[in-house]
């Protein structure tokens, strides 16, 4: 295909245009090109290398390699945006080695000082990172996960031969050579500095004390180890065991020693130090950014055919399909869907009994998700093996006597009326179980990382031998993942002879033996977007295709299964006058006093002086625009939270939430239920699974390996009316650019550049999960520099800070933790963890968090006051739903925002991102209002003192929101818990609950 002007300009590092007609999914009309060039004079988390003759420096700035004179000056760019190049290392003859993510894995390249002679040195499906030229220029030291963890390897440049020097269980990083070329120094798991000889002899040089981390080791004077030591709130350059810097933000890359002089990067600068004398080396680099974001208005869906069909299953005789929709369970037969449950709680994940007479499902009607069995003839419900924990995603055994399910920690259990037995260790967001025909094996989707260092891996089939007590991981295809670890398989056929699963958004079937061992290569059986597999007999699959129920025989004959379900938005409430003591309109610097808000047809129709009788007397309260949390994942723990979650958001005055990633059909179902009024909660704007690359970690990321599959992902997004698309951390720049060109909706990611030049609309987090293992937008001690601020303010991209460290504020005030709304509406295990986390903020770790938080907020404040676009979001439930919105606002105010500025980041700004008239109280605006006690323009804590909340003019009192769960407790009497099976023994480091640590922000 002929290159568009946009592609030509982008590839040559010039100005970027907007979308081109690259496919049938492309937006119809390209907007005018708009951009400017931004001068960068500082860099955040940049590294530096020096040429052998001392005349040149190479740096990695905004994921490209640049060179400049050693004395400083204007930098010249060597690599293009698609190269995604970092960590340069000078070799002989002006050759520069670097790591590049161009093809979806990290590989080693070299390029000349003049920008010529680009050559790729490694290839394949493993990552090769952090090259360092040997002193004689004949070898490169690097690290790779090709042996099961990150080990030190040496590449002989003349032959291409690779020699492994260290391996499992190491997680080695950043190797550097000794001056004589006989030894290599490196860090191990950020906890030690080791050295290995080229003959494989190894020695530990330094071990990190508790509470510290090591980065970027090198040999210093006298062959002493030199490295960056990170302590709470400090980043020091160390020689031996002595810090040689103080009060500097040292970036953590290998220092370059020349006698007693060291060259390193810190405080956004290239810095040379000799003893106490410090000299900064100035540089300038100019990059293009796109300054006009695409015009967009989020759709307010009003109704139509139901597309949110979640977790469909087929009856044994093939005549019925059960699923969740509109916050209830339905059974479809003969084109007619019959509702089984009443929308009052969260009923999910149905499964037919083997005789087809009963339906198993999970419901939180008793306070937490528990198993129930419905007699389909009589309609009678009965509990099945009650447990002291959540019971989710259940499946009947083939004989109907047992049930496999997952708890809130990702442990798989087998239940029958006599007892509950744990059969797996804690798994990180596993998928729904499936049974072998003989009932002796359970399979489910589980992640298997390539290494501990980066945690990314593939979603594989995990077989649990219930007799032998073993766990066996099996790749669905080499280096491939099951599409999502939810309802995309594995699913065993009724006769036990085949297993079906989805890879790259199409279905595969593989013949297996009784234990699940593959007997042949998996065979592709669908060619359209395929989600949520279920068997219909032994020769057909039922699945979801962009909101439709489809059926395919194993030889590819496809039909559509019709249903009659539709939904529509309910009629808006009638006219209601709410009297308030004061209100903030979303713009003013002061409250306006003593008015009546007239709400009609879901909007504010009038704001007038108080007169006559009001329908609602909130005269002691202040009305503010309903808050918007612009980053959360409703269904990351949606089954565990159940119907509580929507109530919690409203109880804290959050009337709109935006999810940049959720399991797609769970998301669409919830969005339709909220819009239809069958579920109580805020407005919900969202996307499905984030579009990821070759490796994944979370269960709701879609591994995407090429443009053909990207078209499938975008087709799903457009046909299911996504409100945005998120591209995730392993998606290569070329596919990120293609997503921009082909998408009809805004896009966001974890990256600032080249996203700001590709046309991305926003960045999530100040600096979270990143394929580099560190961020180019915020340093390890929480600071950002001129490059980051300039790019955000020039481009207009949004930044959603997600201030996880705001929990440090609990050291001073835990009132939001002990608040009745939190105690009642949080599931018991979530509340217990929340209390523990708050109590831990009085420790030294909490003090460190406070300093990092200060840096994050100061970064956001510079962007905000520089004219940039800051929107509040929390990443809940990785942070605490609803309460974290308020701790984020309090953190903003604690470190420099005025209360009004903070509130704008949670009202006007995210409303603008969504393209909706939210975030204001004015005639014609949607009547989304929080009624609070106090003046939040004077005290931001008052924003959480919500006593009434309205969404679309429908007013809720807080006691009514709490009522469904106020008296619900974990079951006092439950089925006996039996000793765990041998297969539940934890034999792998990655077997951990999703909540164990905030993995989104580890690297």
């Amino acid at each position: 295909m002929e290159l568009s002007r946009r592609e030509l300009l982008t590839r040559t590092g010039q100005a970027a245009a907007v979308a081109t007609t690259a496919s049938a999914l492309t937006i119809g009309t390209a907007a005018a090109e708009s951009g400017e060039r931004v001068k960068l004079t500082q860099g955040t988390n940049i590294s530096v290398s020096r040429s052998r003759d001392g005349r040149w420096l190479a740096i990695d700035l905004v994921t490209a390699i640049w060179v400049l004179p050693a004395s400083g000056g204007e930098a010249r760019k060597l690599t293009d945006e698609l190269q995604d190049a970092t960590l340069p290392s000078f070799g002989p003859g002006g050759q520069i080695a670097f790591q590049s993510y161009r093809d979806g894995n990290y590989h080693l390249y070299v390029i000349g000082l003049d920008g010529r002679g680009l050559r790729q040195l490694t290839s394949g499906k493993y990552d090769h990172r952090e090259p360092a030229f040997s002193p004689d220029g004949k070898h490169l030291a690097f690290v790779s996960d090709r042996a099961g963890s990150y080990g030190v390897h040496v590449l002989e440049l003349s032959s291409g031969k690779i020699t492994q020097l260290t391996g499992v269980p190491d997680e080695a990083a950043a190797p550097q050579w000794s001056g004589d070329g006989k030894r290599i120094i490196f860090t191990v798991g950020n906890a030690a500095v080791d050295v290995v000889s080229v003959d494989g002899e190894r020695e530990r040089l330094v071990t990190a004390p508790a509470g510290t981390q090591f980065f970027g080791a090198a040999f210093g004077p006298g062959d002493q180890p030199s490295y960056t030591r990170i302590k709470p709130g400090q980043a020091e350059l160390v020689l031996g065991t002595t810090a040689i810097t103080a009060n500097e933000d040292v970036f953590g890359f290998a220092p370059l020693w020349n006698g007693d002089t060291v060259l390193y990067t810190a405080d956004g600068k290239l810095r040379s130090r000799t003893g106490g004398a410090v000299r900064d080396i100035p540089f300038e680099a100019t990059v293009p950014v796109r300054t006009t974001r695409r015009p967009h208005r989020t759709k307010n869906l009003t109704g139509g055919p139901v597309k949110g069909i979640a977790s469909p299953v087929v009856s044994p005789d093939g005549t019925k399909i059960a699923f969740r929709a509109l916050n209830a369970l339905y059974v479809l037969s003969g084109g007619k869907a019959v509702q089984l449950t009443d929308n009052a709680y969260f009923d999910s994940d149905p499964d037919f009994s083997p005789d087809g007479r009963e339906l198993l499902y999970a419901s939180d009607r008793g306070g937490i998700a528990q198993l129930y069995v419905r007699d389909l003839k009589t309609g009678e419900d009965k509990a099945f093996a009650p447990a002291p924990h959540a019971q989710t995603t259940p499946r009947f055994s083939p004989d109907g006597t047992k049930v496999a399910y997952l708890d809130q920690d990702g442990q798989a259990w087998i239940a029958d009326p006599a007892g509950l037995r744990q059969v797996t260790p804690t798994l990180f967001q596993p998928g729904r179980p499936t049974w072998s025909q003989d009932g002796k094996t359970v399979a489910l989707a589980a992640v298997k990382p390539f290494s501990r260092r980066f945690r990314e891996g593939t979603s594989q089939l995990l077989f649990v031998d219930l007799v032998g007590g073993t766990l066996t991981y099996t790749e669905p295809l080499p280096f491939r993942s099951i599409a999502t670890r939810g309802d995309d398989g594995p699913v065993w056929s009724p006769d036990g002879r085949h297993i079906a699963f989805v890879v790259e958004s199409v279905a595969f079937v593989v013949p297996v033996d009784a234990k699940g061992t593959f007997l042949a290569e998996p065979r592709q059986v669908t060619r359209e977007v395929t989600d949520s597999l279920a068997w219909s007999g032994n020769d057909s699959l039922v699945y979801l295709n962009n909101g439709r129920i489809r059926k395919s025989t194993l030889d590819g004959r496809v039909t559509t299964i019709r249903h009659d379900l539709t939904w529509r938005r309910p009629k808006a409430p009638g006219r209601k006058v709410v009297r308030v003591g004061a209100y903030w309109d979303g713009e003013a610097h002061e409250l306006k006093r003593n008015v009546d808000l007239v709400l009609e047809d879901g909007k504010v129709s009038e704001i007038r002086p108080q007169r006559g009788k009001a329908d609602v007397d909130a005269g002691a309260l202040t009305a503010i625009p309903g808050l918007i949390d612009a980053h959360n994942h409703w269904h990351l723990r949606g089954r565990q939270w159940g119907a509580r979650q929507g109530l919690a958001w409203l109880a804290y005055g959050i009337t709109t939430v935006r999810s940049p990633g959720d399991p797609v059909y769970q998301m669409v179902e919830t969005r339709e239920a909220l819009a239809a009024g069958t579920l109580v909660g805020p407005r919900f704007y969202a996307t499905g699974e984030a579009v990821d690359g070759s490796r994944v970690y979370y269960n709701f990321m879609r591994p995407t390996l090429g443009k053909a599959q990207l078209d499938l992902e975008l087709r799903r997004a457009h046909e299911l009316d996504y409100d945005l698309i998120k591209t995730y951390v392993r998606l290569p720049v070329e596919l990120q650019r293609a997503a921009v060109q082909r998408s009809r909706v805004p896009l966001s990611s974890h990256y600032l550049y080249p996203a700001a030049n590709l046309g991305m609309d926003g960045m999530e987090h100040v600096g979270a999960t990143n394929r580099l293992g560190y961020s180019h937008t915020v340093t390890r001690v929480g600071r950002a520099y001129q490059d980051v601020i300039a790019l955000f303010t020039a481009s207009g991209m949004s930044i959603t800070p997600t201030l996880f460290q705001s929990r440090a504020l609990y050291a001073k005030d835990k009132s939001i933790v002990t608040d009745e709304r939190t105690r009642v509406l949080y599931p018991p295990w979530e509340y217990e963890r929340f209390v523990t986390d708050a109590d831990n903020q009085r420790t030294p770790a909490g003090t460190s968090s406070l300093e990092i938080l200060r840096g994050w907020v100061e970064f956001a404040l510079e962007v905000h006051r520089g004219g940039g676009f800051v929107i509040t979001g929390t990443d809940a439930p990785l942070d605490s739903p609803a309460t974290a919105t308020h701790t984020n606002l309090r953190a903003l105010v604690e470190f420099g925002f005025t209360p009004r500025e903070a509130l704008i980041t949670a009202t006007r700004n995210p409303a603008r991102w969504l393209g909706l008239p939210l975030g204001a109280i004015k005639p014609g605006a949607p009547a989304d209002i929080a009624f609070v006690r106090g003046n939040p323009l004077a005290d931001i804590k008052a924003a959480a003192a919500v006593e009434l909340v309205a969404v679309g003019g429908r007013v809720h009192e807080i006691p009514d929101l709490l009522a469904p769960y106020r008296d619900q407790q974990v079951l006092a009497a439950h089925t006996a818990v039996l000793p765990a099976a041998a297969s539940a023994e934890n034999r792998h480091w990655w077997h951990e609950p999703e909540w164990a640590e905030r993995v989104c922000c580890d690297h």
Side-chain angles (χ1 to χ4, degrees), residues 569-576 598-605 683 924-927 951-954:
R569 190 177 292 275
K571 184 179 179 181
R575 187 175 187 271
K576 183 169 291 187
V598 182
L599 314 183
E600 194 167 8
D601 293 330
K603 298 180 180 180
V604 177
S605 65
R683 300 177 191 266
V951 183
R954 197 174 306 278

Side-chain angles (χ1 to χ4, degrees), residues 844-909:
T847 303
S848 173
S849 293
L850 199 64
E851 286 307 306
I852 293 173
L853 178 62
R854 179 191 300 275
W856 288 1
V857 174
E858 288 174 350
F859 161 21
L861 185 60
E862 281 198 72
V863 172
H864 174 74
R865 292 189 178 168
F869 192 16
V870 179
I871 58 178
T872 285
T874 57
D875 217 6
L878 295 179
D879 208 342
S880 305
T883 58
T885 311
H886 290 284
T887 56
N888 272 241
L889 294 177
R890 295 174 187 186
L892 294 177
V893 173
E894 179 78 12
F895 294 112
F897 281 72
T898 67
R900 176 181 174 273
E901 288 175 314
L903 287 170
I904 283 172
T905 72
T907 52
R908 184 183 73 191
N909 282 6

Side-chain angles (χ1 to χ4, degrees), residues 19 146 464:
R146 54 196 285 147
V464 185

Side-chain angles (χ1 to χ4, degrees), residues 497-511:
R497 298 176 61 187
H498 292 87
I499 284 177
F501 48 77
V502 180
V503 171
E504 296 175 32
S505 286
V506 293
F508 287 78
V509 170
V510 61

Side-chain angles (χ1 to χ4, degrees), residues 129 158 172 221 275 299 410 434 459 464 507 577 588-589 669 704 718 761 852 859 915 961:
R129 298 175 180 254
S158 60
K299 295 179 182 178
T434 185
S459 293
V464 185
V577 178
H589 290 264
E669 187 275 333
T704 306
H718 297 153
D761 298 278
I852 293 173
F859 161 21
L961 297 175

Side-chain angles (χ1 to χ4, degrees), residues 244-268:
I244 62 173
T245 64
N247 302 316
E248 294 183 32
D249 183 8
V250 180
F251 287 166
F253 303 103
L256 304 173
W257 287 90
N258 183 10
D260 292 333
T261 298
V262 61
L263 175 66
Y264 61 104
T265 55
D267 298 337

Side-chain angles (χ1 to χ4, degrees), residues 123-188:
S123 61
K125 299 301 182 181
Y126 292 103
D127 281 351
H128 303 77
R129 298 175 180 254
E130 301 161 3
F133 263 111
S134 61
D136 62 9
K138 296 180 180 180
H139 299 84
L140 280 177
F142 66 96
V143 296
S144 174
D145 58 6
R146 54 196 285 147
S149 67
Y150 271 89
V152 176
H153 297 69
V154 172
L155 169 66
E156 185 178 60
L157 292 169
S158 60
S159 66
K161 177 184 176 183
I162 292 176
T163 303
Q164 180 180 341
L165 297 184
T166 73
V168 178
D170 286 344
E171 295 298 345
Q176 295 290 321
W177 295 85
S178 61
D180 60 8
K182 295 181 179 180
R183 294 169 298 154
I184 297 170
I185 193 171
F186 58 99
T187 59
V188 183

